[in-house]
C-alpha cells in the first residue's frame, strides 16, 4: 500500500506542475500564432507528456516554479506529509492500543491514557479511511479508462476481421502504392474498407490498419482519394498513433484534472494541423486548394463525426468552428523557413527550461522561514513542555539515539554522566532485540519538591513476535533552557522488561515510527537555529554528525553546554537553502536578528548530510 500512496502523491504533484506547463504552452501558441510552424504547435506537447510520465526532473534557477514557491512547496509538503506519514501511524495503531490496555492498570491516570490513545487512533483511522477512499476512487477511474480503451481496440479489431474487404475499387491498389512511395512508407500498413466508421483513419498501435469508410468509396475522385491516402500515410510515418496512446495513458492517470483533458484535445487538434502542413508541403499551389476542397467534400458526404479512440483520423473535430479554422489554415499555408524552424526550436527549448525543470524550493521543501520570538516553540518544539520532554526521552530510547537523551539532562546530570556517554560514543541505548514497538507517556504525580514526574510504558517485541512490556520513570524540572530531566531510572540499554505470557503480535512488528525532530533537513535547520535562540548548546551538540562530536564535545562542555549570550540575544531568524539541492546533502544560510527589531544581525552557514533516517550537521561557518 505504501507504494500506491507514493505513486498517488507523485500523480497529484505532477498534475499541478503539468497544469502550469499547459498554461506556458498555450501562452506560447497564442503569442506566436501562425508565425511558428504547425509542427511546433504539435510537438511542443511532448514536453507535457514527459512532465506527466517521468517522475523526476532536474532543478533549475530558470524554472517558472521559482515565481511562486509558496504554492508549489506547500502543496508538495502537504501532499508528502498527509499521504506518506499516515502509514507509519497505521503500523503503530494496534501496538498503541495494546499499550493503552497495559498502562491503564485500573488507575485514573491509566484511564486518561486509554482515552487519549483511543481518541488519537479514532482520528487517525478516519484520516486513513478518507485517504484510502480517495486512492480507491482514483484507481477506479484509471482502471475504467484503460479498460474502455483496450476494450474498444479489441472491439474494432474483431470488427475489422469480420468486415474488412481488400480494396477492389478501380485503381485504388495502384494509387495506394504510389502514395506509399511518395511519402516514403516502407512498413506493413494494410488498407481495409470497413462499414460503420465516419472518417478515414489509421487505427492500431502494434498492427495498424489504414481504414476507409465503405460508404465513401466510389464517391471520391482518384485525386481526392489520393489526398486522403497521403494524409493518413503521413500520420503513420510520424508515429502519431503512438503519441495518441501515450497521451491517453497520461490523461487516464490524471483523469481528475480537466486542464489535462483540454490539453489532450488541443494536442489532437494540433496533430491534424501539423499533418495537413506536412502534406501541403508536398503539393503545388493548385493542389493545395484542392486538398482543402476534399475536406469540404467529405463533410458533404457526412464523413464527420466522433473520431475512433486513439486513431489518427482525417476528420475528427466535433465543432464546425474547428473545421473552419482548419480550412483557414490550409488556405493560408506557408512553407517552412529556416527562421521559423530556428524560432520554433528556441521557444520549445525555453518552455522546456522553464516548465520542465523543478524549482530548488520544491526540492528543499523550504524557501525562507521567518520566525518571531513567539513562533519557535510552535514551529520547532525542543523542550516546550514537561510532557513533550518526557515524550522525547521515550522516543530517544525507541530510536536508540542516546545523544538526544544526554541533551535532555539537567546540568547536574550532564556533569555526572558525561564520561559514561562519551566513552559509549554518545549513547548506545535500546537493543537490537527486543525493540520498542510503541510507548505511552503519562503523568505519575510529582516529587517532594513539586517537580512533575512521568511514567513511560513500553511495548516491545522480537523476531518471534512475542510481546514484552517495560516501564521507567523520569522527573522533570524547568530551567532557563526549557524543561530538563533531573532524575531517571538507571539501567543498561533497556529498562527491565517482562514477557506477556500468551501474548504475541499476529504479524511481524517493526520498530516504532520515527518521530524525532531531526528526521528532515528543514527541521534540522530550524532546530539548529532554535538552539542558538534558546542558548541550548547540548541540543545543538546532539545535531552534529558523529565525526564532529569528539572534537566539539570538550568545547561545549567547557561552556557549560551554553551557547550565545545575554549580550547577543536572538530575537528572530531567517533560514534559506543555499547552493545545489542534492538528495543526501543540504546547505542553509541562517540570519539572526539580535536584541530589538533594529538591532545587529549575525549569520552562519550550515551543511548537513543524511545519516540513515536522520539529518545531521557536518560543518558550519560563521
Amino acid at each position: 500500500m505504501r507504494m500506491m500512496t507514493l505513486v498517488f502523491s507523485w500523480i497529484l504533484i505532477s498534475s499541478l506542475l503539468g497544469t502550469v506547463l499547459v498554461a506556458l504552452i498555450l501562452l506560447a501558441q497564442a503569442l506566436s500564432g501562425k508565425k511558428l510552424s504547425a509542427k511546433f504547435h504539435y510537438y511542443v506537447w511532448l514536453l507535457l507528456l514527459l512532465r506527466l510520465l517521468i517522475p523526476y526532473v532536474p532543478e533549475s534557477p530558470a524554472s517558472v516554479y521559482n515565481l511562486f514557491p509558496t504554492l508549489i512547496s506547500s502543496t508538495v509538503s502537504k501532499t508528502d506529509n498527509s499521504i506518506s506519514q499516515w502509514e507509519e501511524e497505521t503500523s503503530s495503531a494496534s501496538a498503541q492500543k495494546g499499550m493503552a490496555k497495559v498502562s491503564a492498570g485500573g488507575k485514573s491516570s491509566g484511564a486518561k491514557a486509554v482515552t487519549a490513545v483511543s481518541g488519537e487512533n479514532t482520528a487517525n483511522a478516519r484520516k486513513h479511511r478518507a485517504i484510502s477512499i480517495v486512492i480507491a476512487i482514483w484507481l477506479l477511474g484509471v482502471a475504467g479508462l484503460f479498460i474502455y480503451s483496450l476494450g474498444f481496440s479489441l472491439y474494432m479489431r474483431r470488427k475489422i476481421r469480420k468486415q474488412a474487404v481488400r480494396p477492389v475499387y478501380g485503381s485504388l491498389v495502384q494509387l495506394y502504392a504510389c502514395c506509399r512511395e511518395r511519402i516514403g512508407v516502407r512498413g506493413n500498413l494494410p488498407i481495409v474498407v470497413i462499414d460503420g466508421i465516419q472518417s478515414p483513419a489509421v487505427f492500431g498501435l502494434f498492427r495498424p490498419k489504414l481504414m476507409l469508410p465503405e460508404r465513401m468509396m466510389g464517391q471520391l475522385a482518384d485525386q481526392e482519394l489520393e489526398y486522403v491516402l497521403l494524409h493518413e500515410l503521413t500520420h503513420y510515418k510520424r508515429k502519431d498513433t503512438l503519441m495518441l496512446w501515450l497521451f491517453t495513458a497520461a490523461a487516464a492517470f490524471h483523469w481528475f484534472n480537466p486542464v489535462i483533458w483540454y490539453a489532450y484535445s488541443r494536442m489532437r487538434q494540433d496533430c491534424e494541423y501539423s499533418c495537413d502542413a506536412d502534406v501541403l508541403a508536398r503539393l503545388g499551389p493548385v493542389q493545395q486548394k484542392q486538398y482543402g476542397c476534399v475536406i469540404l467534400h467529405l463533410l458533404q458526404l457526412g464523413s464527420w463525426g466522433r473520431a475512433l479512440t486513439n486513431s489518427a483520423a482525417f476528420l475528427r473535430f466535433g465543432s464546425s468552428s474547428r473545421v473552419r479554422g482548419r480550412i483557414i489554415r490550409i488556405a493560408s499555408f506557408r512553407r517552412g523557413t529556416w527562421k521559423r524552424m530556428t524560432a520554433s526550436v528556441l521557444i520549445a527549448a525555453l518552455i522546456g527550461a522553464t516548465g520542465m525543470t523543478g524549482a530548488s524550493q520544491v526540492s528543499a521543501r523550504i524557501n525562507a522561514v521567518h520566525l518571531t520570538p513567539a513562533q519557535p516553540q510552535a514551529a520547532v518544539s525542543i523542550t516546550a513542555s514537561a510532557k513533550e520532554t518526557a515524550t522525547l526521552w521515550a522516543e530517544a530510547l525507541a530510536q536508540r539515539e542516546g545523544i538526544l537523551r544526554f541533551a535532555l539532562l539537567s546540568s547536574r546530570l550532564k556533569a555526572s554522566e558525561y564520561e559514561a556517554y562519551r566513552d559509549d560514543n554518545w549513547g548506545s541505548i535500546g537493543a537490537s532485540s527486543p525493540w520498542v514497538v510503541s510507548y505511552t507517556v503519562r503523568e505519575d504525580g510529582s516529587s517532594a519538591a513539586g517537580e512533575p514526574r512521568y511514567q513511560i510504558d513500553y511495548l516491545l517485541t522480537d523476531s518471534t513476535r512475542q510481546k514484552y512490556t517495560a516501564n521507567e520513570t523520569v522527573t522533570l524540572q524547568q530551567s532557563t533552557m526549557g524543561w530538563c530531566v533531573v532524575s531517571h531510572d538507571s539501567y543498561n540499554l533497556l529498562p527491565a522488561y517482562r514477557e506477556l505470557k500468551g501474548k504475541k503480535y499476529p504479524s511481524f512488528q517493526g520498530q516504532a515510527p520515527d518521530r524525532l525532530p531531526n528526521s528532515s533537513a528543514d527541521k534540522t535547520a530550524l532546530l539548529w537555529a532554535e538552539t542558538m535562540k534558546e542558548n541550548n548548546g547540548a541540543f545543538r551538540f546532539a545535531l552534529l554528525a558523529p565525526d564532529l562530536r569528539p572534537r566539539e564535545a570538550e568545547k561545549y562542555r567547557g561552556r557549560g553546554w551554553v551557547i550565545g549570550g545575554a549580550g547577543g540575544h536572538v530575537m528572530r531568524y531567517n533560514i534559506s537553502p543555499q547552493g545545489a539541492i542534492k538528495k543526501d546533502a543540504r546547505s542553509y544560510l541562517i540570519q539572526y536578528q539580535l536584541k530589538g527589531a533594529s538591532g545587529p544581525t549575525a549569520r552562519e552557514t550550515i551543511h548537513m548530510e543524511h545519516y540513515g533516517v536522520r539529518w545531521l550537521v557536518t560543518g558550519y561557518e560563521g
Side-chain angles (χ1 to χ4, degrees), residues 108-257:
S108 60
S109 58
K112 293 178 181 178
V114 173
T115 304
V117 172
S118 177
E120 182 180 359
N121 288 342
T122 301
N124 287 339
R126 289 174 181 171
K127 181 174 67 172
H128 304 163
R129 193 179 303 113
I131 294 176
S132 298
I133 291 173
V134 170
I135 294 177
I137 293 173
W138 170 68
L139 285 174
L140 285 174
V142 174
L145 288 169
F146 273 103
I147 291 173
Y148 171 78
S149 294
L150 293 175
F152 185 81
S153 297
L154 294 175
Y155 165 75
M156 286 303 302
R157 286 198 173 278
R158 211 163 33 242
K159 188 172 183 177
I160 289 172
R161 282 197 299 269
K162 289 181 178 180
Q163 298 186 20
V165 180
R166 286 292 173 182
V168 292
Y169 298 96
S171 58
L172 180 57
V173 176
Q174 184 178 357
L175 181 61
Y176 183 53
C178 292
C179 290
R180 285 171 61 97
E181 185 176 353
R182 190 171 178 180
I183 297 296
V185 171
R186 297 288 182 264
N188 180 30
L189 180 64
I191 183 171
V192 295
V193 178
I194 188 171
D195 188 23
I197 61 173
Q198 300 293 323
S199 170
V202 174
F203 182 81
L205 182 61
F206 298 107
R207 292 190 210 125
K209 305 282 191 300
L210 197 164
M211 301 189 300
L212 299 176
E214 187 174 19
R215 66 196 184 105
M216 186 188 73
M217 307 307 297
Q219 300 188 58
L220 290 180
D222 285 352
Q223 185 70 61
E224 292 176 314
L225 193 55
E226 179 184 0
Y227 297 144
V228 171
L229 295 175
L230 289 174
H231 182 94
E232 296 306 325
L233 287 169
T234 300
H235 275 309
Y236 174 76
K237 184 177 181 180
R238 301 191 321 174
K239 308 297 182 185
D240 286 337
T241 52
L242 175 61
M243 176 86 157
L244 292 172
W245 269 100
L246 291 175
F247 231 108
T248 299
F253 283 112
H254 299 266
W255 61 265
F256 53 86
N257 190 340

Side-chain angles (χ1 to χ4, degrees), residues 88-89 92 96 120 395 399 439 512-517 519:
E88 293 182 350
E89 297 170 356
S92 64
Q96 288 178 342
E120 182 180 359
E395 183 68 19
Q399 303 304 326
Y439 54 84
D514 190 346
R515 295 185 178 90
L516 287 178
S519 57

Side-chain angles (χ1 to χ4, degrees), residues 294-605:
V294 172
I295 295 178
L296 297 175
H297 190 190
L298 288 175
L299 292 176
Q300 292 176 350
L301 296 176
S303 297
W304 176 27
R306 181 176 174 275
L308 298 177
T309 302
N310 299 325
S311 68
F314 190 84
L315 286 175
R316 65 161 303 276
F317 302 130
S319 94
S320 58
S321 61
R322 288 187 172 182
V323 175
R324 185 166 55 251
R326 186 175 176 186
I327 296 296
I328 293 174
R329 282 177 174 266
I330 292 173
S332 59
F333 171 75
R334 291 184 300 167
R335 296 182 184 276
T337 63
W338 282 106
K339 289 183 179 180
R340 294 179 70 192
M341 184 181 300
T342 303
S344 298
V345 172
L346 290 177
I347 293 178
L350 179 62
I351 295 174
T354 56
M356 280 293 294
T357 54
S360 57
Q361 290 86 345
V362 175
S363 296
R365 303 291 203 275
I366 183 172
N367 181 34
V369 180
H370 300 275
L371 299 176
T372 63
Q375 287 176 313
Q377 284 73 22
V380 282
S381 172
I382 295 180
T383 54
S385 71
K387 178 68 175 292
E388 289 178 8
T389 304
T391 301
L392 188 55
W393 181 268
E395 183 68 19
L397 176 63
Q399 303 304 326
R400 306 181 66 188
E401 289 286 333
I403 193 168
L404 285 176
R405 280 204 163 182
F406 179 79
L408 296 174
L409 295 175
S410 65
S411 298
R412 179 181 60 83
L413 289 183
K414 283 189 178 76
S416 62
E417 299 184 23
Y418 173 77
E419 283 80 8
Y421 274 93
R422 182 196 60 192
D423 296 344
D424 200 21
N425 197 24
W426 298 102
S428 293
I429 60 173
S432 58
S433 181
W435 57 86
V436 176
V437 174
S438 65
Y439 54 84
T440 299
V441 180
R442 56 191 176 90
E443 236 181 302
D444 189 29
S446 59
S447 67
E451 299 159 333
R453 186 169 54 226
Y454 288 85
Q455 179 171 316
I456 306 172
D457 299 304
Y458 298 97
L459 268 182
L460 306 95
T461 191
D462 54 22
S463 58
T464 67
R465 298 182 284 110
Q466 175 63 49
K467 287 185 179 182
Y468 304 89
T469 183
N471 59 71
E472 65 173 321
T473 302
V474 294
T475 305
L476 305 174
Q477 184 183 72
Q478 192 167 23
S479 68
T480 56
M481 292 186 291
W483 288 88
C484 59
V485 174
V486 295
S487 173
H488 63 85
D489 295 344
S490 297
Y491 52 82
N492 182 28
L493 297 181
L494 282 172
Y497 58 89
R498 65 181 184 277
E499 180 180 321
L500 292 177
K501 297 295 185 181
K503 300 288 186 180
K504 281 194 174 187
Y505 286 104
S507 60
F508 178 82
Q509 298 293 310
Q511 191 173 348
D514 190 346
R515 295 185 178 90
L516 287 178
N518 59 333
S519 57
S520 76
D522 299 341
K523 290 180 181 178
T524 303
L526 285 166
L527 286 167
W528 184 267
E530 184 65 13
T531 58
M532 177 63 75
K533 183 178 180 299
E534 295 188 359
N535 307 121
N536 195 332
F539 213 99
R540 176 171 279 209
F541 177 72
L543 298 176
L544 293 175
D547 56 338
L548 286 184
R549 293 170 187 168
R551 69 170 184 261
E552 296 277 331
E554 290 301 324
K555 180 179 73 174
Y556 279 98
R557 185 190 187 194
R559 294 175 178 173
W561 303 99
V562 177
I563 57 175
H569 182 67
V570 175
M571 298 297 295
R572 59 181 61 85
Y573 46 83
N574 171 61
I575 305 174
S576 57
Q578 297 291 301
I581 304 299
K582 299 179 181 178
K583 180 180 180 181
D584 295 318
R586 299 280 194 278
S587 294
Y588 294 87
L589 172 65
I590 306 176
Q591 295 175 299
Y592 301 97
Q593 186 165 1
L594 311 179
K595 289 186 177 180
S598 59
T601 60
R603 62 167 57 194
E604 68 175 329
T605 301

